[in-house]
Amino acid sequence: MEQLATGFTLIEGPVWDAAHGLLFSDVLDGGVHCLGHDGTVAVVIPHRRGMGGLSLHAAGGMVVSGRNIAYKPPGDSATRVLLESANSDAGFNDITTDDAGRVYAGSLGASPFKDQVGDRTPGALFLIDLDGATRRVADGVKLTNGMGFSPDGKRLYHSDSGDQIVHVYDVASDGDVRGRRPFAKLEHGLPDGLVVSEDGAVWVADAHGGKVWVFGPDGSLREKIAVPLPMVTSVCFGGEGLRDLYIVTGSEGAPTDHSGTVFRLRVDVPGLPVAPARVRVS
């Protein structure tokens, strides 16, 4: 496992951009950063804090979470808000896209930095459709985190850190989800960001356990990957053939409050490509 970049507070939302490299946010210090192919790190979107999720957009630019779900176009053009939060103190955390380019966004019922898990108001799961229309598709998410689709697009995996469970939904052709049920539980762990590989395995960051857990499509545990820092916040696939697993961390339990680090591990199975967002932004 290689250490590629460090010195951040709480890294989240890693997204692979084949043209530029690995994109990720720093939740507390703000900004979207790009770890380029040459190993240098540059700021892509300055200032904005609280971005737990990022997605490339087919028109260029990015869809980002935070106090709302917004489209950040390339350059200095104005930000476009796609979905407002009902709770301005909480906003949204992780996001993902389906193969059509619809955006799924998990709302936070309360700030994860201010409230204990057991006291938090549950959040919900929202869908932004291709025409820009939004709808609420699931409720009762105690602490929303990572999401990813099965290779056939018929199942959506969703980490609920408040429940300490990765749930799975069945996905309808119009994007609605139903039939939520437990998929996998991290024994003594806290599921955070997740990603799906080409073979249908689900790779889950353990926010307090210093590991990445790998589950088969049936929910059986395949492997635990040890990570040098305890607060493993998210994962994504990238690199040649999508066989590089990028692992990002926060600073909790680390030597300093700027110990957030990007690691890379070459793996045998390729990752499943994540489609860019195609929701209406103009």
Side-chain angles (χ1 to χ4, degrees), residues 2-59:
E2 305 170 80
Q3 177 178 308
L4 302 181
T6 192
F8 303 91
T9 61
L10 176 56
I11 301 179
E12 281 281 12
V15 172
W16 177 250
D17 179 352
H20 300 99
L22 184 74
L23 300 162
F24 59 90
S25 66
D26 189 330
V27 171
L28 301 181
D29 274 356
V32 174
H33 306 264
C34 179
L35 173 61
H37 297 296
D38 61 358
T40 61
V41 179
V43 176
V44 178
I45 298 173
H47 308 311
R48 182 176 170 113
R49 296 183 181 182
M51 291 179 285
L54 312 174
S55 173
L56 300 176
H57 196 283

Side-chain angles (χ1 to χ4, degrees), residues 11-128:
I11 301 179
E12 281 281 12
V15 172
W16 177 250
D17 179 352
H20 300 99
L22 184 74
L23 300 162
F24 59 90
S25 66
D26 189 330
V27 171
L28 301 181
D29 274 356
V32 174
H33 306 264
C34 179
L35 173 61
H37 297 296
D38 61 358
T40 61
V41 179
V43 176
V44 178
I45 298 173
H47 308 311
R48 182 176 170 113
R49 296 183 181 182
M51 291 179 285
L54 312 174
S55 173
L56 300 176
H57 196 283
M62 303 188 73
V63 177
V64 302
S65 71
R67 61 187 178 275
N68 50 39
I69 302 296
Y71 172 62
K72 291 280 193 179
D76 297 324
S77 301
T79 299
R80 177 178 173 81
V81 175
L82 305 178
L83 176 61
E84 288 283 11
S85 172
N87 184 344
S88 59
D89 291 332
F92 297 87
N93 199 15
D94 289 57
I95 63 177
T96 195
T97 56
D98 64 10
D99 284 345
R102 293 176 286 212
V103 174
Y104 290 76
S107 72
L108 294 162
S111 169
F113 304 109
K114 296 179 181 179
D115 304 278
Q116 296 299 314
V117 170
D119 299 329
R120 292 188 184 121
T121 302
L125 181 62
F126 289 84
L127 172 64
I128 306 175

